[in-house]
């Protein structure tokens, strides 16, 4: 009896795999066919053949970035042109809707020394978020349009700047841990 029990348990522990359902179905061509080369694929096209596209001279050496002018590339297809136009259009729309704090800014003290670089994303509506860095450390930055708060500063945790427009940039007083000093906020060179 124990031999029958062992054989039964062996069948449960190591059952035979059933064939995959996909192996039981006959082959059917895909709805969308993969790329298929044309009838002239791999054929050498004679020079001056009216049906052949203009030939570019083969590259004989690597092309450096400084020498790049795109002359050796094929003309973009209509789909590639439409894609590039869509990307450019989306970038213009994003720039047009961006708020005044959007982008990279440098916070400098009264002597012109750079204190922090701040990258802000200002969608034009709602909170402005970003981050700061000073070469040693970094942290978060948020703004409501009237104040800019730098979180996680090494000298005291949180710094707050009351923002006032000053030409193309901003000015204000940076307050950290009860100490205050004048700062300017400008686009870096």
């Amino acid at each position: 009896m124990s031999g029958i029990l062992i054989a039964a348990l062996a069948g449960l522990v190591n059952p035979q795999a059933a064939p995959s359902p996909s192996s039981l179905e006959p082959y059917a061509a895909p709805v969308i066919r993969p790329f298929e080369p044309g009838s002239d694929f791999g054929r050498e096209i004679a020079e001056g053949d009216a049906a052949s596209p203009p030939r570019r001279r083969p590259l004989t050496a690597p092309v450096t970035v400084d020498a790049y002018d795109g002359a050796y590339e094929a003309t973009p297809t209509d789909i590639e042109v439409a894609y590039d136009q869509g990307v450019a259009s989306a970038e213009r729309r994003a720039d047009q809707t961006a708020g005044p704090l959007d982008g990279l800014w440098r916070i400098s003290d009264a002597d012109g020394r750079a204190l922090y670089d701040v990258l802000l994303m200002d969608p034009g509506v709602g909170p402005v978020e970003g981050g700061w860095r000073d070469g040693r450390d970094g942290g978060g930055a948020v703004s409501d349009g009237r104040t800019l708060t730098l979180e996680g500063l090494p000298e005291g945790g949180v710094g707050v700047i009351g923002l006032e427009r000053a030409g193309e940039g901003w000015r204000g007083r940076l307050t950290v841990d009860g100490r205050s000093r004048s700062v300017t906020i400008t686009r870096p060179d």
Side-chain angles (χ1 to χ4, degrees):
M1 177 107 156
S2 65
I4 297 171
L5 182 58
I6 292 173
L9 288 176
L12 291 176
V13 173
N14 192 6
Q16 293 293 321
S20 169
S22 64
S23 67
L24 301 176
E25 298 173 15
Y27 172 76
V31 176
I32 299 174
R33 298 189 62 78
F35 170 76
E36 294 178 352
S39 62
D40 63 346
F41 183 75
R43 269 192 11 207
E44 188 65 37
I45 299 174
E47 196 68 35
D49 186 355
S52 69
R55 299 198 50 112
R56 292 176 178 81
R57 64 181 175 82
L59 293 175
T60 57
V63 178
T64 65
V65 172
D66 296 334
Y68 177 77
D69 66 1
Y72 54 86
E73 293 182 352
T75 305
T77 65
D78 291 343
I79 292 174
E80 291 170 331
V81 170
Y83 175 81
D84 290 342
Q85 289 172 343
V87 169
S89 176
E91 184 178 4
R92 280 192 302 277
R93 277 193 310 276
D95 289 345
Q96 290 169 348
T97 60
L101 288 171
D102 192 68
L104 185 61
W105 297 92
R106 177 157 295 141
I107 300 173
S108 304
D109 65 10
D111 296 328
R113 285 188 306 258
L115 301 174
Y116 309 103
D117 286 330
V118 182
L119 179 62
L120 298 172
M121 293 175 28
D122 185 352
V125 177
V128 177
E129 298 178 318
W132 64 267
R133 66 179 176 183
D134 66 356
R136 300 168 294 161
D137 211 352
V142 293
S143 177
D144 60 6
R146 297 181 308 272
T147 61
L148 175 62
T149 303
L150 306 176
E151 301 167 343
L153 294 178
E155 60 265 333
V158 175
V160 179
I161 304 171
L163 298 173
E164 299 175 30
R165 266 298 201 182
E168 295 291 316
W170 306 83
R171 69 172 172 241
R173 296 198 61 78
L174 171 61
T175 304
V176 180
D177 197 25
R179 293 185 308 273
S180 182
R181 61 178 157 175
S182 295
V183 294
T184 58
I185 305 171
T186 57
R187 299 279 184 190
D189 298 332

